[in-house]
Amino acid sequence: MRKIADIRKDLSRKVAEVKALENTPENADAITKGIEDIKALERELEAANVIEAAEQRAAENNLDRLQRKEGRSFSIIRFINGIIAKNLTGLEAEVADMGRDEYRRLGLTPKGYVIPSAMLRSAGQNYTTPADGGNLKEEGGHIYTDMLRQKIVLASLGANVLTDLIGTVPVIGSSAIESAWVGEGVQNTIKKAEYKRVNLTPHRSSTTMVTTSDLLVQTSFDVERDLMDKIADAHATLLEKAAICGTGADGQPLGILNTTGIGSVAMGTNGAALTWPKVVELETAINSENANRGKLAYLTNAKVWGAMKTIEKATGSGRFIYDDLVPGRVNGYKIDWSNLVPSDLTKGTGTALGALIFGNFSDLYIGQWGGLDFIVDPYTGARTGEIYITLNAWNDVAVAEPKSFAAIKDIKTA
């Protein structure tokens, strides 16, 4: 079976070839043959995706078997130390082999040693076999994919975080689904909803963190959890920044604020302080597009968040844009903040301007393919006992429905 990435490339190339042919009698045979080739490639891709899904399920079962055999769970510290010593053994070596095989099947190129996606869903259990027949002891294990979701503010607002993806993944916006009333015995008229097809495709993301050789000699479960927590922090920050303000250039996905077609509300020629009518205007921008369905929420940064607590809805009212009467809500909708929302925007002569986003966050998708690729560098910081760890992953972000979002990008906070 060929790699999924290779099949996908051939399919894209064949589709482009057929689309380039003019619909003339002399091209009829070539078009027919091209369509047959496309259908064959689609069948091959579907089969490859089914096999990969089965391989992932088998990998999970194999990991469970290996951990029971070893009588312990996978250790990120043993994994890193084995890479440094160029001597991965036991369970950690088996996991690295599984990660390499997973990347090969997906057509991804590892830069170092891969922890497969199945391991990222493992609960980190300690398997023991006492003389009375054995048991399975939970140690409050950590599941990386759950940790990652918990750290992404956008996920708490309703964004879809998809893991274990295979191939190109099309996502569906809210307006892609329509319903209609029909009479008894009357056939439903199929209308093509007006929406733009958006695909999630793998982009390599890379994050570097520094730890110490002193930390890596520890065998504490708490140290393991702390290290995984820091890795998840770095990974979540990268994904969240891309989802909010990714440029779509230089390998970056395209984030909400740079997506063409989202609603826009302006404060002034050079920016201005936020007002209650402008907050409501964001909601109106969504409502006017009939996009007020799903998980609607506001997202901003700490500076705008702070300003919202001091700006009155109406002068002398004693009621503020965010007044804690209904915690975590503004204008009846959930609100949260992240300093990855820009506070350094410019407009006219205005500088250091902030942003406020409102929208249906269930129309935002964050995807991941395969596991995590680790490159461990014990040399750069050797004099001070520092270990540089570079984490590579394959992710993408997609706004399925631009009209589900609206933003103000010129808020003065000082």
Side-chain angles (χ1 to χ4, degrees), residues 221-241:
F221 176 78
D222 292 328
V223 173
E224 288 263 348
R225 183 171 52 194
D226 181 63
L227 185 57
M228 289 299 289
D229 188 65
K230 286 180 169 56
I231 291 170
D233 264 335
H235 194 185
T237 296
L238 188 71
L239 293 179
E240 192 133 73
K241 185 172 183 179

Side-chain angles (χ1 to χ4, degrees), residues 75-382:
S75 166
I76 185 68
I77 289 180
R78 289 190 188 206
F79 184 73
I80 293 170
N81 282 329
I83 295 172
I84 293 171
K86 294 183 172 59
N87 185 32
L88 277 172
T89 60
L91 177 58
E92 285 65 40
E94 297 266 13
V95 166
D97 288 343
M98 293 172 67
R100 183 192 63 243
D101 291 343
E102 178 181 73
Y103 264 42
R104 176 186 52 77
R105 293 193 309 270
L106 293 174
L108 305 176
T109 304
K111 303 293 182 181
Y113 295 82
V114 177
I115 297 178
S117 57
M119 190 68 250
L120 302 181
R121 298 189 300 274
S122 172
Q125 295 165 330
N126 178 37
Y127 296 95
T128 59
T129 310
D132 62 1
N135 60 25
L136 174 60
K137 179 184 176 185
E138 286 277 2
E139 283 199 346
H142 46 271
I143 303 177
Y144 182 84
T145 51
D146 286 348
M147 293 171 68
L148 189 63
R149 284 189 181 91
Q150 291 166 8
K151 291 175 181 298
I152 298 175
V153 172
L154 293 167
S156 71
L157 297 180
N160 297 285
V161 180
L162 310 178
T163 58
D164 304 332
L165 298 181
I166 301 169
T168 297
V169 180
V171 295
I172 302 174
S174 299
S175 71
I177 303 171
E178 288 189 356
S179 300
W181 295 104
V182 294
E184 182 69 24
V186 177
Q187 185 176 2
N188 182 20
T189 301
I190 300 173
K191 288 198 302 181
K192 183 179 179 181
E194 294 183 2
Y195 74 103
K196 183 167 64 175
R197 178 189 175 103
V198 180
N199 290 328
L200 288 167
T201 57
H203 293 64
R204 186 168 70 90
S205 61
S206 186
T207 306
T208 298
M209 64 174 290
V210 181
T211 185
T212 65
S213 54
D214 292 332
L215 183 69
L216 295 179
V217 301
Q218 306 298 319
T219 58
S220 164
F221 176 78
D222 292 328
V223 173
E224 288 263 348
R225 183 171 52 194
D226 181 63
L227 185 57
M228 289 299 289
D229 188 65
K230 286 180 169 56
I231 291 170
D233 264 335
H235 194 185
T237 296
L238 188 71
L239 293 179
E240 192 133 73
K241 185 172 183 179
I244 293 169
C245 54
T247 64
D250 300 322
Q252 287 186 40
L254 189 65
I256 297 170
L257 292 177
N258 291 313
T259 296
T260 301
I262 70 167
S264 177
V265 174
M267 296 305 307
T269 304
N270 303 306
L274 189 63
T275 65
W276 176 245
K278 291 294 184 181
V279 172
V280 177
E281 195 175 333
L282 275 180
E283 178 190 0
T284 304
I286 301 299
N287 291 345
S288 62
E289 294 288 348
N290 293 319
N292 57 332
R293 295 171 290 177
K295 297 177 181 177
L296 294 160
Y298 291 94
L299 177 67
T300 190
N301 57 49
K303 290 183 179 180
V304 175
W305 174 267
M308 293 170 84
K309 293 182 176 182
T310 63
I311 297 172
E312 289 185 299
K313 291 182 175 181
T315 303
S317 67
R319 296 287 306 279
F320 301 95
I321 294 176
Y322 182 82
D323 57 12
D324 284 335
L325 289 179
V326 183
R329 297 267 167 175
V330 163
N331 193 26
Y333 298 103
K334 188 173 182 178
I335 185 169
D336 210 331
W337 64 272
S338 166
N339 281 329
L340 298 173
V341 176
S343 59
D344 59 351
L345 301 172
T346 61
K347 183 179 181 183
T349 60
T351 59
L353 304 176
L356 174 64
I357 300 168
F358 180 70
N360 171 19
F361 283 86
S362 60
D363 274 341
L364 176 68
Y365 289 80
I366 300 171
Q368 178 160 327
W369 288 256
L372 304 180
D373 177 16
F374 280 76
I375 301 173
V376 181
D377 172 13
Y379 309 110
T380 302

